[in-house]
Amino acid sequence: MDFALSDEQQMLQDMLARLIREHYGFEQRDRVQRRAPGFSETFRTQLAELGVLAMPIDEAHGGMGGGGVENLVVMQELGRGLCLEPFLESQILGGGLVQALGSEAQREALLPVLAAGELLLAVASEEPRTHYRPEWSETRAERIGDGWQLSGRKSVVFGGQAADEILVVARTAGEPGERNGLSLFRVDPAAEGVQRRAYPTMAGPWACDLVLVGVTLADDALLGCAGAAFEALDHQLGRAMAAQCAEAVGSMQQACELTLEYLKTRRQFGQPIGRFQVLQHRMVDMTTELELATSMAILAACVADEPASAERSRQLVAAQHVVKRAAQFIAEQAVQLHGGIGMTWEYSLAHHARHLVMLGHRFGDDDRHLRVYADLLEAN
């Protein structure tokens, strides 16, 4: 694929890589991950000061106006560093939903502070029975006087354990599985009737489950028109899917570099084990999968901001499937080539392997991707 970063994008990548190298070592990351909120407020402040948090936000609301390629650059470096800060959840997915559905007053109130790092958003769209279908929501919101009353359960809300506001998908009409009738509400996690249980996930980042019991919301808590949130939600999930592909590619790059370095330094029978031809072949297979995944992540980044279409959806789901397959292959091969040390908690490779395997289940598994791709082909 003929693809090259512009001078500005290359500067962004170099700056972020240097910041992570100098201020986000593996030992520091391990300490941060072990305790709530599960990420470094100091590092997030540094990202804000360098304008990284403003990158995905519209220029008219205090952001940098970056698109899919800028998100790719940022997410790739965050993936290389195994960074735990909820950039995808807050800035890309949360900010994207506010831009797509919010009134001008809501954008003015939320986006500038989001770009400045003074607001942390999370998006609660998953439920125990959603299984990768954004149209499946059993959480309901009812009109009560001039406001709304919200009840239901949400699961695995990444970044929700520390979010200042959570954007909750709820049904104001229709039945679970229908696209019409979905709405999006701003919820204060400290409001009466909201319970959240925080925990670290297998991949490293923290998340929370939400229980919502008769939560009273003001009328302006609704983003967009009642019952018409599905299209925007589906489009923004596509942008998040593209960003996650880039994050996985960054983690795969680091896993391959660690493995190559190990093959060069680990000695057996008086020579580096990298001289054994069978291990060279396996390293080549890993590099080939990485190159394929990188090309698909670039493709996803280039179409992520396009208007919704069957072709955009087909390319995004294809990219997610190929990247997931490559991530699992590289994780397994890297651990095998390292031997026992590849599973050691104190070594970063083990965390890249866990991260790569879990990333493949965030926005859909193999069955989901292949079914969606086949349906899109039949529709054409």
Side-chain angles (χ1 to χ4, degrees), residues 10-11 27 41-42 71 87 93 110 129-130 171 176-177 184 205 214 223-224 234 246 309 314 346 349 351 358:
Q10 188 62 59
M11 287 175 59
E27 292 76 13
E41 293 282 7
T42 302
N71 289 341
F87 181 85
L93 186 53
L110 296 176
R129 298 204 299 171
T130 297
R171 185 165 291 284
L184 190 68
L223 289 170
D234 191 52
S309 68
R314 190 179 64 81
E346 290 76 14
L349 178 74
H351 298 263
M358 294 308 297

Side-chain angles (χ1 to χ4, degrees), residues 8 22 40 86 91-92 98 114 149 233 237 342 359 366:
E8 292 77 10
E22 295 177 356
S40 168
Q91 311 305 119
I92 296 178
V98 172
L114 181 65
Q149 191 171 69
L233 176 63
L237 287 173
L359 279 181
D366 282 342

